[in-house]
Amino acid sequence: MSFEDFIQPAISCFDGHYDHWSMLMENFLRSKEYWLVVSNGVQEPGADMDLSEAKKTALDSLRLKDLKAKNYLFQAIDRSILETILCKDTFKQIWDSMKKKYQGTAKAK
């Protein structure tokens, strides 16, 4: 392993400039291979669906990616913003909520 393997890329903190921040976060999440949870979300199966083991494994993997992506997002946003999105369950729901609220605004505060 090289030294570069231990360097954690910086997560861009949301400063109210949504368009710039979202571009940086998208690039970061794509580099981590988590962008799929933003673009597609996590589709939960109905309670009456019987999933094969392969589908259960794939769903668990997608849920884990969603959780990891949310962790990065939580590190990037201020507590006051976090409190407004606590009712959102998935990364996609949080991302879409922030996009709706802040996209096109020069400064959120």
Side-chain angles (χ1 to χ4, degrees), residues 34-42 62-63 65-66 69 91-92:
Y34 298 148
W35 189 248
L36 182 67
V37 297
V38 178
S39 57
N40 297 340
V42 177
L62 197 56
R63 285 177 180 153
K65 283 186 176 190
D66 183 72
F91 183 92
K92 180 167 178 49

Side-chain angles (χ1 to χ4, degrees), residues 45 49-63:
M49 290 188 70
D50 188 28
L51 299 176
S52 68
E53 282 304 312
K55 287 186 179 184
K56 285 180 186 176
T57 301
L59 182 58
D60 286 345
S61 175
L62 197 56
R63 285 177 180 153

Side-chain angles (χ1 to χ4, degrees), residues 14 73-86 102 109:
F14 180 62
L73 185 63
F74 291 162
Q75 291 177 50
I77 58 178
D78 188 70
R79 179 179 160 195
S80 61
I81 295 171
L82 182 61
E83 290 174 354
T84 66
I85 57 173
L86 286 176
Y102 298 109
K109 294 183 180 178

Side-chain angles (χ1 to χ4, degrees), residues 8 18 23 41 43 51 56 72 76 83 97 106 109:
Q8 175 68 26
Y18 177 82
M23 179 184 64
Q43 302 299 321
L51 299 176
K56 285 180 186 176
Y72 287 125
E83 290 174 354
S97 175
K109 294 183 180 178

